[in-house]
Amino acid sequence: MASQAEYAAMRRALALAGRGLGTTSPNPVVGAVVLDIVGTVVGEGFHVKAGGPHAEVLALAAAGPRAQNGTCVVTLEPCNHTGRTPPCVQALLDAGIARVVVAVRDPFGPAAGGVEALRAAGLEVEVGVLAAEAERVNEAWLTSVRTGRPFVTWKYAASLDGRSAAVDGTSQWITGPAARADVHRLRAECDAVIVGSGTVLADDPALTVRDAPVRHGQPLRVVLDSGLRTPPTARVLDDTAPTLIFKAPGAVDGDPRLYEGAKIVTVPQAADGTGVDLHAVLAELHSRQVVSVLLEGGPRLAGSFLAAGLVDRVVGYVAPVLIGGDGLPALAGPGAPTIEAARRFRLDEITPVGPDVRLVARPVVPSAPREPAVEN
């Protein structure tokens, strides 16, 4: 069983892993802490960016010879293959580590098997320490690997009565400056931002990060535009960030010079004949190493993602404003026919942001089986 010192080290490793959010994609976020033979922290590190040293390597380098016969506590199973960097399993063996404590197994086939390799080399290995917390900090990457599509966060802003705009369509600004700045932080942590052509036509958004540090480049801008209605003057076509426009097979491309600021991708039409196939869109983005996306489109596009079961997290900004009347709802589309059929979410966070409140919720799904903590 893991010791108190190892649990404390894992909590520290999880905090370190979180520092990599927004910079490591398409790699996972990982934190590692090295304890010496008596349980004192002698080294720590986290994965900063793809192609750079892994967390274990940085922690071992910080520990130096004090790692001999010590313990490495790491949030994700050490890799067992040579990719852009050598395998972490070998680094642990070379450093003389005697015991490894792992939170979550690596589901990525080519890199998996680190636990077995370490045990085969005679090291003690314990798996499953603070696994739920480790799953949360790495939820985007784990979802991407396990499902073959990006992790989808739906972001919306609404009044207390659930309206996203007044009856005339105006929505700027329901929330205050602090909430809007927080949205830019969300954008900075994602690989792509998705909207529909209706949002482009109505609001002409730039979809760039402006009020938060950009550490991994501007996110990819994605427009779902089955009929190719995006005007050539749209701000999403400027040179501040890359843009993909997804169209249906029947849409006429027209003069390609009109879309010099974007790449046009054709995907199948949705089964109901409206819009593009969302599964095909996400599969294409996954093939381009997009791990996480922020859905910022209008209420109908959000409803389509929800109906398709493609919303992994909801981040809602609720303002102390009442719109009433025929104001536009935050969510549209077919909806649930009965209350029993409504999609249930678990409310995980409630945080004041200036005068507004940020709500974070995730779908209620059966818990996946986890490997019990085992050591040898």
Side-chain angles (χ1 to χ4, degrees):
M1 296 293 292
S3 66
Q4 289 186 353
E6 290 168 346
Y7 269 97
M10 184 64 80
R11 283 189 286 271
R12 174 59 179 165
L14 289 167
L16 290 168
R19 294 185 185 180
L21 290 170
T23 67
T24 64
S25 186
N27 284 6
V29 295
V30 184
V33 173
V34 175
L35 306 175
D36 66 11
I37 194 168
V38 297
T40 302
V41 175
V42 293
E44 59 182 35
F46 68 96
H47 186 44
V48 178
K49 64 178 181 178
H54 288 190
E56 301 95 314
V57 172
L58 292 172
L60 291 169
R66 293 173 295 177
Q68 184 73 32
N69 295 318
T71 298
C72 182
V73 178
V74 61
T75 59
L76 186 69
E77 178 182 16
C79 64
N80 192 36
H81 82 309
T82 299
R84 298 187 190 183
T85 59
C88 290
V89 165
Q90 190 59 50
L92 292 166
L93 297 177
D94 292 343
I97 287 290
R99 174 172 163 82
V100 179
V101 179
V102 176
V104 177
R105 294 292 294 259
D106 191 334
F108 182 58
V115 166
E116 288 74 18
L118 291 168
R119 286 173 175 163
L123 277 68
E124 292 183 358
V125 182
E126 183 166 351
V127 180
V129 174
L130 298 184
E133 292 87 341
E135 289 264 350
R136 175 63 55 81
V137 76
N138 224 358
E139 62 184 342
W141 183 82
L142 290 169
T143 296
S144 176
V145 173
R146 290 167 176 167
T147 66
R149 64 163 178 81
F151 180 86
V152 178
T153 297
W154 170 42
K155 184 278 299 181
Y156 74 92
S159 62
L160 283 175
D161 54 340
R163 308 292 184 175
S164 64
V167 66
D168 66 351
T170 56
S171 60
Q172 297 179 338
W173 296 103
I174 290 177
T175 55
R180 298 198 296 274
D182 199 65
V183 170
H184 284 272
R185 178 193 59 80
L186 267 180
R187 285 183 183 175
E189 291 182 357
C190 293
D191 298 326
V193 180
I194 298 181
V195 298
S197 58
T199 295
V200 172
L201 292 169
D203 300 334
D204 192 22
L207 300 181
T208 53
V209 178
R210 298 183 294 280
D211 295 326
V214 179
R215 299 177 294 167
H216 190 55
Q218 289 285 351
L220 174 68
R221 300 178 293 194
V222 178
V223 181
L224 307 189
D225 187 1
S226 61
L228 211 57
R229 300 187 299 158
T230 299
T233 56
R235 289 201 291 169
V236 293
L237 299 178
D238 63 24
D239 60 0
T240 58
T243 301
L244 284 182
I245 297 179
F246 286 88
K247 73 176 187 68
V252 179
D253 290 359
D255 187 342
R257 291 174 297 180
L258 296 178
Y259 297 103
E260 288 181 349
K263 181 175 178 58
I264 310 297
V265 180
T266 301
V267 292
Q269 195 169 33
D272 62 3
T274 61
V276 292
D277 186 309
L278 300 181
H279 292 277
V281 168
L282 294 182
E284 175 65 24
L285 292 176
H286 181 76
S287 74
R288 297 170 181 266
Q289 295 192 312
V290 172
V291 171
S292 60
V293 302
L294 186 62
L295 177 61
E296 291 200 45
R300 189 163 296 280
L301 183 62
S304 296
F305 269 84
L306 186 65
L310 296 175
V311 174
D312 301 299
R313 180 177 63 164
V314 177
V315 179
Y317 296 87
V318 179
V321 175
L322 292 173
I323 295 176
D326 294 323
L328 302 180
L331 184 66
T338 65
I339 195 64
E340 290 80 9
R343 294 181 181 270
R344 299 288 177 176
F345 283 72
R346 181 186 63 253
L347 195 56
D348 291 327
E349 299 174 36
I350 305 173
T351 308
V353 183
D356 309 310
V357 174
R358 182 182 66 230
L359 308 175
V360 179
R362 293 172 176 85
V364 175
V365 295
S367 298
R370 304 188 191 281
E371 178 174 334
V374 175
E375 57 181 318
N376 63 355

